[in-house]
């Protein structure tokens, strides 16, 4: 039905074929790739179903990746804080293959938060997780929302959607 496509459009990863998209009072369809990149790095955080962690990097280095793309240096302590915030302060030096699926997704959430985005875009963030990890991830997303972050999440699972304050259904 286009859920992930819509998320990619909203998150400035894809450009629409037509129309306009106004974000924070500006039509972002008129932005060039450099402007979109700055926007992505400063206002958007991304959490994906497949985690998208680099296997040879530690949890800490994976969290630091967006700071490199944003040209921000010396953010190691902020990255450590984000890992502690998601309950992984004791796993900072572990590589993804040393982490469970739920832990990998928590690293991905910490990575999405390191640049303090306004919006977190989550594409099936619980899709590859067991029930306990699913509950942990939903709890973290709810906590982020309670702290003022907008969470836009795609899911095909009704029981996951029921945790949202607002649900938009897409069909066909």
């Amino acid at each position: 039905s286009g859920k992930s496509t819509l998320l990619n459009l909203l998150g400035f990863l894809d450009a629409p074929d037509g129309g306009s998209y106004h974000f924070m009072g500006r039509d972002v369809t008129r932005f060039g790739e450099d402007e979109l990149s700055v926007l992505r790095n400063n206002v958007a955080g991304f959490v994906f179903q497949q985690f998208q962690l680099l296997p040879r990097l530690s949890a800490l280095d994976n969290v630091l990746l967006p700071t490199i793309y944003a040209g921000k240096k010396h953010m190691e302590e902020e990255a450590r804080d984000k890992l502690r915030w998601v309950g992984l302060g004791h796993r900072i030096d572990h590589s993804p293959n040393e982490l469970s699926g739920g832990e990998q997704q928590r690293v991905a959430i910490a990575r999405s938060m390191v640049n303090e985005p306004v919006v977190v875009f989550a594409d099936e963030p619980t899709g590859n997780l067991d029930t306990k990890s699913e509950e942990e991830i939903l709890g973290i997303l709810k906590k982020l929302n309670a702290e003022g972050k907008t969470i836009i999440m795609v899911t095909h699972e009704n029981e996951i959607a029921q945790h949202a304050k607002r649900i938009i259904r897409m069909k066909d």
Side-chain angles (χ1 to χ4, degrees):
S1 65
K3 296 183 299 290
S4 294
T5 299
L6 176 61
L7 198 71
N8 288 344
L9 289 167
L10 293 175
F12 324 108
L13 294 170
D14 290 339
D17 294 330
S20 62
Y21 170 20
H22 291 263
F23 183 83
M24 299 177 88
R26 298 187 62 201
D27 183 357
V28 298
T29 58
R30 300 186 186 278
F31 284 20
E33 189 52 45
D34 288 344
E35 290 172 297
L36 287 173
S37 179
V38 169
L39 195 58
R40 273 191 305 271
N41 284 324
N42 291 298
V43 302
F46 298 93
V47 180
F48 302 100
Q49 181 176 359
Q50 301 295 334
F51 319 130
Q52 304 299 340
L53 302 177
L54 295 181
R56 292 194 175 120
L57 297 182
S58 68
L60 178 63
D61 289 336
N62 268 287
V63 172
L64 281 167
L65 280 174
T67 67
I68 294 166
Y69 297 128
K72 298 177 181 177
K73 297 181 180 178
H74 312 297
M75 292 198 56
E76 185 174 322
E77 194 53 41
E78 288 87 345
R80 287 177 183 279
D81 287 345
K82 297 302 179 200
L83 283 165
R84 284 189 285 270
W85 192 86
V86 297
L88 292 177
H90 63 293
R91 308 285 276 173
I92 286 175
D93 295 322
H94 290 257
S95 63
N97 69 341
E98 298 172 314
L99 303 172
S100 71
E103 289 172 329
Q104 288 182 57
Q105 193 61 297
R106 287 190 276 159
V107 171
I109 291 171
R111 179 187 58 204
S112 78
M113 296 306 302
V114 73
N115 282 333
E116 294 295 333
V118 175
V119 182
V120 174
F121 297 94
D123 193 355
E124 297 281 358
T126 61
N128 285 337
L129 302 177
D130 60 77
T131 303
K132 182 179 183 289
S133 296
E134 180 179 281
E135 291 171 7
E136 290 172 347
I137 296 307
L138 288 172
I140 290 169
L141 293 173
K142 283 181 178 181
K143 187 175 173 186
L144 285 171
N145 184 245
E147 292 182 359
K149 302 295 181 195
T150 297
I151 310 295
I152 299 177
M153 180 173 59
V154 166
T155 184
H156 64 274
E157 310 246 358
N158 284 329
E159 61 272 10
I160 301 298
Q162 295 307 313
H163 292 270
K165 293 178 183 174
R166 181 175 182 200
I167 299 171
I168 299 171
R169 297 190 193 282
M170 296 178 70
K171 186 175 179 180
D172 298 333

